[in-house]
Amino acid sequence: MRAVTISAPGGPGKLTLSLVNLGKPGPGEVVIDVAAAGVNRADLLQRSGNYPPPKRAPEWPGLEISGTVRALGPGVTTWAPGDRVVALLEGGGYAEQVVARAGQVLPVPDGVDLVDAAALPEAVCTAWTNLVDTGRLRSGETVLVQGGSGGVGSIAVQLAAALGAQVVATAGGPDRVARCVALGADVGIDHREQDVVAAVRDATGGRGADVVLDVLGGGGLRDNVRALAPGGRLVVIGLQRGRRGELDLEAVMAKHAWVTGTLLRPRSADEKAALVATVCEQVWPMVADGRVRPVVHARVPFADAPVAHELLESGDAFGKVLLVP
C-alpha cells in the first residue's frame, strides 16, 4: 500500500510517498481503509526527528484517521466490515490502510462527512481530557483557549461553549478572531494587537480565567499565570513558544492555582480506550446535533504531503489540515 514516509529527519521535503507493508490485525485490532488522515503538530516533530513513534507503531506519522472497516482481528465483535469509523492511533495514519485497536475506534457521527471526520478524534480527545478531566471545567466558569484557531483550539472553543462555559479565545488577526467567535467564543482576542491578560481581565470583571488551555508552552507561562483566576488551572498541551519558561511560584501560591501539562500519545491502551468511550458517550451527541463540528482548513493529497506540513507550520491554517489518499 502507499504511505507518506519520512526519508530522513528534516523539513517538509523529507516526506515522500512510498510503498510499505501493512501488518495483519492481532487480537482486538481492526484494519481500516483510510479516507483521510489528520495532520498534527506531533507529526511535524516526528518528521524533524524530535518525537520518535512508540515501539509498536509504524515508522510513518499520523495519529488520527477516518475510513471504513475492512477486516477484523481475532476477538473483535464491536465492529463489522463496512462500518464508517474514526480512529485514534499511536502512528501510521498517513497510509491507505491502518491497523487500529478496536477500543480506540469510534463511529462517524451522524451528519458528518467521512473525510472531514478525520479532523475529530485527536482534537476531541485532547480537548475533552484537558478541559474536563484535567482542567475540571464546569458550567459557568471561564476558559481561555490560547490558539482558538488551531486544530485542537477550534474544537475546544466549541466544546467549552457546549459545556456552558464562558469562552475567551485568542487568535492572530481580526478575521481569525471573528471565526473563533462564530464557533462559540464569547470573547475573541487578537494576540497580535491586544494585551491578552488585560483583555481576559476585562472580560471577567478583573477575576481572570478559571481554566487556561495553552499551546504556547514556556513563552506563554508568565502571562498565562497572570491570566488565571483564584483557584485557576493552567493546562499546557503545546510548546509552540518553547519548552522552558520562568514560573513565578509566589503568583501561583497567592492564587491557590496549579500548573500542569499532558500528552495523549504516550498514554496506555487502556487509558485511551477509556477516554474514547467517554468521548463517544459525552461528546458524540454534541457532534451529532451540531454543537461541535469538525473544522477543516484544507484537504491535501498524499502526494502533496510536504504542502500540508508547510501549511500547518506557517500558522495560516484555521482548524485541521487533512491528508487524503
Side-chain angles (χ1 to χ4, degrees):
M1 67 174 183
R2 297 183 309 153
V4 177
T5 61
I6 302 169
S7 60
K14 298 298 182 180
L15 296 175
T16 184
L17 201 55
S18 306
L19 292 177
V20 299
N21 293 319
L22 180 73
K24 293 182 179 180
E29 295 181 331
V30 300
V31 177
I32 301 170
D33 289 328
V34 173
V39 179
N40 292 278
R41 290 195 174 272
D43 304 335
L44 310 185
L45 292 173
Q46 181 174 334
R47 187 207 68 222
S48 64
N50 294 316
Y51 197 7
K55 289 183 178 180
R56 74 178 302 274
E59 295 180 1
W60 51 94
L63 299 178
E64 60 184 341
I65 59 95
S66 63
T68 305
V69 174
R70 182 183 185 89
L72 309 177
V76 176
T77 59
T78 51
W79 303 106
D83 285 346
R84 290 159 38 97
V85 298
V86 299
L88 187 67
L89 308 171
E90 283 70 44
Y94 290 13
E96 292 178 314
Q97 294 180 345
V98 300
V99 174
R101 293 189 178 101
Q104 293 171 211
V105 176
L106 299 105
V108 173
D110 293 341
V112 176
D113 176 84
L114 179 61
V115 171
D116 287 352
L120 290 173
E122 178 79 14
V124 171
C125 287
T126 298
W128 176 271
T129 192
N130 287 289
L131 287 174
V132 178
D133 296 336
T134 302
R136 305 197 311 270
L137 180 66
R138 297 181 293 273
S139 178
E141 291 190 320
T142 298
V143 58
L144 169 62
V145 179
Q146 290 277 28
S149 61
V152 173
S154 59
I155 292 293
V157 167
Q158 298 177 76
L159 180 57
L163 292 171
Q166 179 189 25
V167 183
V168 181
T170 66
D175 291 342
R176 297 168 75 84
V177 168
R179 292 186 67 181
C180 289
V181 172
L183 287 175
D186 298 282
V187 178
I189 302 172
D190 184 349
H191 64 74
R192 296 175 183 171
E193 300 292 337
Q194 295 176 262
D195 181 324
V196 173
V197 176
V200 171
R201 289 175 177 167
D202 286 345
T204 58
R207 185 173 181 275
D210 299 287
V211 177
V212 175
L213 186 67
D214 176 60
V215 296
L216 304 177
L221 186 58
R222 176 176 176 271
D223 281 349
N224 281 329
V225 171
R226 291 175 61 216
L228 285 174
R233 291 85 71 190
L234 167 58
V235 186
V236 181
I237 62 170
L239 302 171
Q240 293 181 22
R241 293 188 186 171
R243 59 190 296 177
R244 297 183 184 277
E246 185 172 303
L247 180 63
D248 184 345
L249 291 175
E250 183 178 6
V252 174
M253 295 164 67
K255 291 186 175 184
H256 300 272
W258 54 265
V259 178
T260 188
T262 76
L263 289 172
L264 181 56
R265 189 180 195 181
R267 299 189 190 189
S268 71
D270 288 344
E271 288 177 298
K272 289 180 181 178
L275 174 58
V276 164
T278 298
V279 163
C280 192
E281 177 184 353
Q282 299 292 333
V283 185
W284 252 220
M286 301 180 190
V287 179
D289 67 20
R291 286 177 289 169
V292 176
R293 304 294 286 179
V295 181
V296 177
H297 181 85
R299 298 178 176 188
V300 180
F302 271 14
D304 296 328
V307 174
H309 275 219
E310 289 168 357
L311 184 55
L312 191 59
E313 287 181 325
S314 72
D316 292 335
F318 191 102
K320 281 285 183 136
V321 177
L322 303 181
L323 281 172
V324 181

